[in-house]
Amino acid sequence: MAKPPIKDTPKDETSRSEDVFLREVDDAVREDNFKEFAQRYGLVIAVALVIGLASLAGWIFYGNSQDEASGLRSEEYVSAIDSLKQNNLDGASKALESLETADQDGYRAAAQMMQANIALEKQDVKKAVAAYAKIKADKTLPGPFRDLALIRQTAAEFDSLKPQQVVDRLKPMAVPGNPWFGSAGEMVAIAYLDMGKANLAGPLFAQLAKDKTVPPTIRSRALQMAGVQGIDAVETEEDKTDGETGGVAQIAPVSADEGKTE
């Protein structure tokens, strides 16, 4: 026989009513708190969100603009190279004009260097020297470009410079291991000869002749010049052995007393 359903007592009904009432109160409190929070901080949050989205959009736009600008600079540089290959110096110079003030340091330095080379090719030594000097003085440009500019500038005006000026400019680069040792070392050695300091020029020519990193044309000339100074710069197996063991066949360092002359 089935049991009759259990009826809720007045106490149970009162408990359920209290639970419903408390939930309604809790919901009302939360709603009021949310409204108060929204009124107090809603504008700030909205502004922060807009700024964040705007910053993200700006960053994306900037990245795309940089990519487009780099692509355009690349096309202009290639156009200048093509003109040079066709011996169209004026066309190359025109193509390089916009690159001379480019935001990208590499393109700006390369363009200015090429403009200086073009001026030198046109026999406008004064303009070329001024352009090289400008590159050397611009500390925003990469160091290798600035060093190369000093090499080119000195070579362009070598005949009009005093030998000591050449030494002062290039001696820091006229050392083995420096990327410009070949060009700088050769000019410094010649300047030493012009100053009557063959005791410094000869060993420097010998160092150039034996340095495998120096361009072959410079090594060949240095070998001949070292021979003129009475130094045999031809490296033999015996020379190598003496060099490794600290024998007398080693060349005296270039940093010897510059005041001595033969």
Side-chain angles (χ1 to χ4, degrees):
M1 183 175 179
K3 295 182 179 180
I6 300 175
K7 295 182 179 181
D8 292 334
T9 64
K11 184 178 180 180
D12 293 334
E13 291 179 358
T14 300
S15 178
R16 279 199 299 270
S17 298
E18 290 177 352
D19 289 342
V20 172
F21 174 74
L22 290 175
R23 281 199 300 271
E24 290 176 351
V25 171
D26 186 56
D27 291 340
V29 171
R30 290 182 180 180
E31 184 177 354
D32 288 341
N33 288 341
F34 178 77
K35 288 180 179 179
E36 182 181 353
F37 179 83
Q39 290 175 354
R40 180 176 298 182
Y41 302 108
L43 181 59
V44 176
I45 294 175
V47 171
L49 182 60
V50 170
I51 292 176
L53 292 175
S55 299
L56 178 61
W59 181 79
I60 294 173
F61 176 77
Y62 175 77
N64 291 337
S65 298
Q66 289 294 98
D67 291 340
E68 292 177 4
S70 296
L72 180 60
R73 299 288 88 82
S74 177
E75 291 176 3
E76 293 169 341
Y77 190 74
V78 170
S79 176
I81 295 295
D82 290 340
S83 296
L84 285 177
K85 289 180 178 179
Q86 299 170 12
N87 202 31
N88 181 5
L89 300 182
D90 292 333
S93 180
K94 184 69 176 178
L96 291 169
E97 288 178 356
S98 60
L99 289 173
E100 290 185 86
T101 56
D103 293 332
Q104 297 86 351
D105 293 343
Y107 281 120
R108 189 169 74 256
Q112 292 179 14
M113 183 68 70
M114 288 179 65
Q115 289 283 36
N117 293 344
I118 290 172
L120 195 61
E121 187 70 19
K122 291 182 175 181
Q123 304 302 316
D124 192 343
V125 177
K126 185 177 180 179
K127 181 178 179 181
V129 167
Y132 289 134
K134 180 181 177 182
I135 296 170
K136 174 57 181 175
D138 189 349
K139 294 184 179 181
T140 66
L141 298 179
F145 280 101
R146 297 176 61 217
D147 290 342
L148 176 58
L150 182 60
I151 293 288
R152 294 285 178 85
Q153 177 190 352
T154 305
E157 56 181 352
F158 187 88
D159 293 336
S160 63
L161 294 174
K162 294 180 179 180
Q164 188 61 52
Q165 288 179 290
V166 176
V167 174
D168 291 342
R169 282 187 186 181
L170 302 181
K171 189 177 179 181
M173 291 185 282
V175 292
N178 188 282
W180 308 112
F181 175 48
S183 298
E186 184 175 37
M187 283 189 278
V188 168
I190 294 173
Y192 280 148
L193 288 179
D194 292 339
M195 296 167 67
K197 297 180 179 180
N199 63 308
L200 299 178
L204 182 51
F205 279 126
Q207 284 183 323
L208 289 167
K210 291 188 176 185
D211 194 324
K212 298 298 196 308
T213 65
V214 172
T217 53
I218 295 179
R219 291 179 60 202
S220 178
R221 291 194 298 267
L223 180 62
Q224 297 177 16
M225 293 301 296
V228 171
Q229 304 307 315
I231 297 177
D232 184 5
V234 178
E235 190 173 22
T236 64
E237 291 301 322
E238 183 180 353
D239 292 331
K240 294 179 181 179
T241 302
D242 289 337
E244 292 171 356
T245 58
V248 296
Q250 289 180 309
I251 298 172
V254 179
S255 58
D257 183 8
E258 295 185 15
K260 297 179 181 180
T261 58
E262 278 191 280

